[in-house]
């Protein structure tokens, strides 16, 4: 499963988040300060330090966490393309603040002044994004590996589980707080879905990010009724670190082939199930039908076409 066109096209806010998180994580890792970023009861109540609170939102405390975290942040750019950079910025701010409040509440209940209870990193944003990922992104491919039934979404869940267990108890708590924050956003708490930043702020972030190195804009259709992008057979190799316990890592590499279909003839009618799937994601039925015709009834490809058309 992919997040649409490669690179950061139409995802300037995601680009800033990924770059900022990578820079802070690498810089603090070189300086040897990443292990000191985990929040504790003392950091919040007895000796509060604003700089540590801010950095703990961006910087990962270890290389494995940074690798999986940045991958997930990059993948979830699909939501910025779906709802727009302005509303996605609101989603980021809401997720970070609400998950941080949950974390402070949890630390207050535990009240252990000596323990570094919470690991650092944008766990709130990442695990809040799993809520719309679970409800709004359909499964388009199913397959079996060693007798186990998997889907194209399984690899994202595996990466999330690895990140959740990367620091054991210190990472599980921020992950749960992020899921709670994403659930509250989905429930439209305080009418958050209608909130938007002033346009000049959104324009500022768009100018702040340099041109994308991904596929050019012209490579993808800008409207649903235009020509669909053609895909050749693609060889996909996915590697994941699975950790039953934090200290033990094993590398599992799964290789498979997926051939994206060529556009089908206009006379071929897409299935009602596929149209209903796209309609349940909030797309217009007529636009969904046209996108499925271009994508030869492939829901994943049709979703990317609709998201790209919606972003322009």
């Amino acid at each position: 499963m992919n997040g649409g066109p490669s690179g950061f096209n139409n995802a300037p806010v995601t680009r800033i988040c990924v770059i900022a998180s990578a820079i802070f994580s690498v810089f603090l890792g070189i300086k040897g300060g990443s292990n000191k970023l985990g929040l504790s009861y003392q950091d919040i109540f007895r000796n509060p330090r604003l700089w540590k609170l801010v950095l703990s939102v961006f910087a990962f405390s270890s290389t494995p966490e940074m690798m999986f975290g940045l991958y997930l942040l990059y993948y979830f750019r699909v939501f910025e393309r779906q709802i727009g950079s302005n509303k996605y910025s609101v989603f980021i701010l809401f997720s970070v603040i609400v998950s941080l409040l949950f974390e402070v509440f949890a630390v207050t209940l535990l009240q252990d002044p000596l323990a570094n209870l919470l690991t650092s990193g944008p766990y709130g944003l990442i695990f809040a994004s799993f809520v719309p990922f679970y409800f709004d992104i359909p499964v388009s491919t199913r397959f079996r590996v060693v007798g186990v039934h998997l889907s194209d979404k399984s690899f994202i869940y595996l990466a999330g589980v690895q990140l959740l267990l990367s620091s054991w108890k210190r990472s599980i708590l921020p992950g749960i707080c992020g899921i709670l924050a994403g659930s509250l956003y989905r429930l439209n708490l305080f009418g958050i879905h209608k909130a938007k930043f002033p346009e000049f702020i959104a324009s500022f972030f768009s100018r702040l990010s340099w041109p994308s190195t991904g596929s050019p804009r012209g490579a993808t259709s800008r409207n649903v009724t235009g020509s669909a992008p053609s895909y050749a057979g693609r060889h996909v190799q996915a590697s994941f670190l699975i950790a039953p316990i934090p200290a033990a890592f094993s590398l599992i590499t799964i290789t498979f082939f997926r051939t994206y279909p060529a556009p089908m003839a206009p006379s071929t009618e897409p299935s009602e199930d596929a149209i209903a799937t796209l309609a349940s994601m909030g797309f217009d039925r007529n636009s969904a039908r046209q996108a499925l015709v271009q994508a030869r009834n492939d829901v994943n490809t049709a979703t990317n076409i609709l998201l790209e058309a919606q972003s322009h």
Side-chain angles (χ1 to χ4, degrees):
M1 184 173 190
N2 56 63
S6 62
F8 291 103
N9 285 324
N10 304 315
V13 177
T14 301
R15 178 190 299 153
I16 292 173
C17 290
V18 170
I19 293 173
S21 182
I23 290 175
F24 281 122
S25 300
V26 172
F27 177 77
L28 291 172
I30 294 174
K31 293 291 184 179
S34 57
N35 292 328
K36 302 176 182 178
L37 285 180
L39 293 179
S40 65
Y41 182 84
Q42 185 173 356
D43 294 326
I44 297 173
F45 297 102
R46 296 189 178 180
N47 187 23
R49 287 170 287 184
L50 183 60
W51 68 267
K52 188 172 184 179
L53 187 65
V54 173
L55 287 179
S56 68
V57 174
F58 289 99
F60 291 100
S61 59
S62 68
T63 301
E65 289 178 72
M66 182 181 71
M67 291 173 58
F68 283 98
L70 293 182
Y71 167 72
L72 290 170
L73 283 175
Y74 174 75
Y75 175 83
F76 288 139
R77 74 197 186 282
V78 64
F79 299 123
E80 181 177 358
R81 290 169 173 167
Q82 183 178 20
I83 65 178
S85 297
N86 197 315
K87 287 191 175 183
Y88 188 67
S89 301
V90 174
F91 172 76
I92 291 176
L93 187 63
F94 180 88
S95 302
V96 169
I97 292 177
V98 172
S99 62
L100 196 58
L101 290 175
F102 277 124
E103 291 174 16
V104 170
F105 179 71
V107 170
T108 304
L109 289 179
L110 296 174
Q111 289 189 358
D112 188 346
L114 300 178
N116 232 17
L117 296 174
L118 305 177
T119 190
S120 62
Y123 279 76
L125 171 59
I126 292 172
F127 285 94
S129 300
F130 271 101
V131 176
F133 176 74
Y134 175 80
F135 286 104
D136 299 335
I137 302 298
V139 172
S140 60
T141 304
R142 298 183 185 275
F143 51 91
R144 293 175 59 182
V145 177
V146 197
V148 179
H149 293 273
L150 298 173
S151 72
D152 53 340
K153 296 176 67 173
S154 299
F155 299 115
I156 306 300
Y157 288 126
L158 286 173
V161 170
Q162 173 62 43
L163 183 62
L164 189 68
L165 301 178
S166 57
S167 294
W168 199 228
K169 294 180 181 179
R170 295 177 62 237
S171 55
I172 290 177
L173 188 56
I176 293 174
C177 292
I179 293 173
L180 291 175
S183 300
L184 291 178
Y185 182 88
R186 183 171 182 80
L187 293 173
N188 197 22
L189 184 68
F190 304 128
I192 190 64
H193 291 178
K194 295 182 180 179
K196 293 180 97 177
F197 285 112
E199 285 301 326
F200 73 89
I201 296 179
S203 300
F204 170 76
F205 281 111
S206 296
R207 296 192 195 100
L208 192 63
S209 53
W210 53 80
S212 171
T213 57
S215 56
R217 289 177 181 266
T220 311
S221 173
R222 294 198 172 195
N223 55 71
V224 178
T225 57
S227 59
S230 59
Y231 298 93
R234 183 180 299 174
H235 177 268
V236 182
Q237 178 170 299
S239 300
F240 290 95
L241 291 170
I242 308 300
I245 57 176
F249 292 93
S250 59
L251 183 64
I252 297 178
T253 304
I254 301 173
T255 306
F256 60 93
F257 285 88
R258 181 178 178 184
T259 303
Y260 289 93
M264 63 179 177
S267 59
T268 306
E269 191 69 16
S271 68
E272 283 299 322
D273 288 342
I275 295 174
T277 299
L278 293 176
S280 67
M281 297 171 61
F283 296 114
D284 176 71
R285 287 184 63 87
N286 187 44
S287 299
R289 184 185 300 275
Q290 295 174 10
L292 285 166
V293 169
Q294 296 178 31
R296 199 182 174 190
N297 219 26
D298 185 283
V299 175
N300 192 38
T301 305
T303 302
N304 292 334
I305 293 173
L306 290 166
L307 292 177
E308 187 68 12
Q310 201 174 63
S311 64
H312 292 286

